[in-house]
Amino acid sequence: MITGELKNKVDKIWEIFWTGGLANPLDVIEQLTYLMFVRDLDQIDQTRQRESLMLSIPHKSVFQGKEQLKWSIFIHKSAEDMYKIMQAEVFPFIKQLNGNSGTYAKYMADAIFKVPTPQLLERLVTELDELYTQIDKMPDKQDARGDLYEYMLSKLAQAGTNGQFRTPRHIIRMMVELMDLQPGDTICDEAVA
């Protein structure tokens, strides 16, 4: 469970989304997850590059020929340029990462970049980098990341208690496909009492 400074940072990011016009908790988690994925993709690629140099083995970057799409590169641009790159290049790039086949491509096909303004994106990028800096200082980084997602999901549960909350149709379809239900299967919904 996250507490203190890390929790405050997540709450601040959440508030930035809220004041920037994205008040739907699902939209917030979706957009934040996309941003985290873009940042993580760059970090993983950099780690693999370093490992390949140390081990003298070849490494083909997922960003080969598209270095401007790296988080570590585009975050140093102006807010307007960063926004243009994210909207026109980075987001389409992550939607097509593993080609047009497979589960990832299938569920990313309808994804939409919803951050409404360059200034909001700039604030989110700055806060997200600060959040990662805090996580990197923790002895249990992996647990902190899991706790971070758990905390964000708890905000969805809070939204449900503050009013009616419906699961979006595309999430329902994905869950049904992943369950791979067959005729004769029995489903028990423990939440219905």
Side-chain angles (χ1 to χ4, degrees):
M1 169 158 220
I2 68 171
T3 58
E5 202 174 334
L6 201 56
K7 183 178 177 190
N8 291 339
K9 183 60 72 178
V10 173
D11 290 341
K12 184 175 181 181
I13 291 170
W14 204 272
E15 187 174 322
I16 290 169
F17 272 111
W18 183 270
T19 59
L22 281 164
N24 180 336
L26 274 179
D27 287 341
V28 171
I29 287 179
E30 176 187 68
Q31 297 303 300
L32 184 54
T33 302
Y34 292 151
L35 292 173
M36 292 172 77
F37 177 76
V38 170
R39 189 184 188 285
D40 288 347
L41 188 62
D42 184 12
Q43 293 295 308
I44 290 166
D45 194 64
Q46 288 179 35
T47 300
R48 288 186 180 153
Q49 179 68 35
R50 284 190 302 272
E51 289 170 350
S52 73
L53 290 172
M54 287 173 30
L55 301 172
S56 299
I57 57 174
H59 168 70
K60 183 180 178 190
S61 171
V62 294
F63 297 101
Q64 191 165 357
K66 299 178 181 189
E67 284 76 18
Q68 76 279 9
L69 305 184
K70 288 184 171 189
W71 179 277
S72 57
I73 302 294
F74 73 75
I75 64 165
H76 300 292
K77 307 269 186 201
S78 69
E80 290 76 18
D81 288 343
M82 186 186 338
Y83 190 80
K84 287 176 191 170
I85 291 168
M86 179 63 84
Q87 190 172 43
E89 297 180 65
V90 174
F91 206 75
F93 172 74
I94 66 168
K95 287 175 67 167
Q96 299 172 355
L97 257 178
N98 289 328
N100 293 323
S101 62
T103 305
Y104 180 79
K106 182 178 179 180
Y107 292 107
M108 281 296 289
D110 296 329
I112 300 167
F113 181 62
K114 295 180 182 178
V115 175
T117 67
Q119 293 73 27
L120 180 60
L121 178 61
E122 183 178 49
R123 289 182 65 203
L124 291 169
V125 164
T126 300
E127 292 298 327
L128 194 55
D129 270 344
E130 289 176 12
L131 176 70
Y132 272 82
T133 298
Q134 286 180 342
I135 290 172
D136 287 342
K137 291 177 184 175
M138 300 176 83
D140 56 348
K141 290 182 229 179
Q142 292 303 95
D143 287 344
R145 296 281 301 265
D147 292 343
L148 172 68
Y149 279 108
E150 189 175 312
Y151 180 64
M152 290 191 311
L153 291 174
S154 76
K155 289 186 163 290
L156 282 178
Q158 290 171 359
T161 60
N162 293 335
Q164 193 170 23
F165 184 78
R166 299 184 189 277
T167 305
R169 288 279 153 213
H170 70 283
I171 300 295
I172 293 170
R173 282 192 297 275
M174 179 184 73
M175 289 168 50
V176 169
E177 281 187 47
L178 290 173
M179 291 292 296
D180 191 27
L181 298 171
Q182 302 299 315
D185 287 349
T186 302
I187 300 171
C188 177
D189 185 353
E190 296 290 333
V192 178

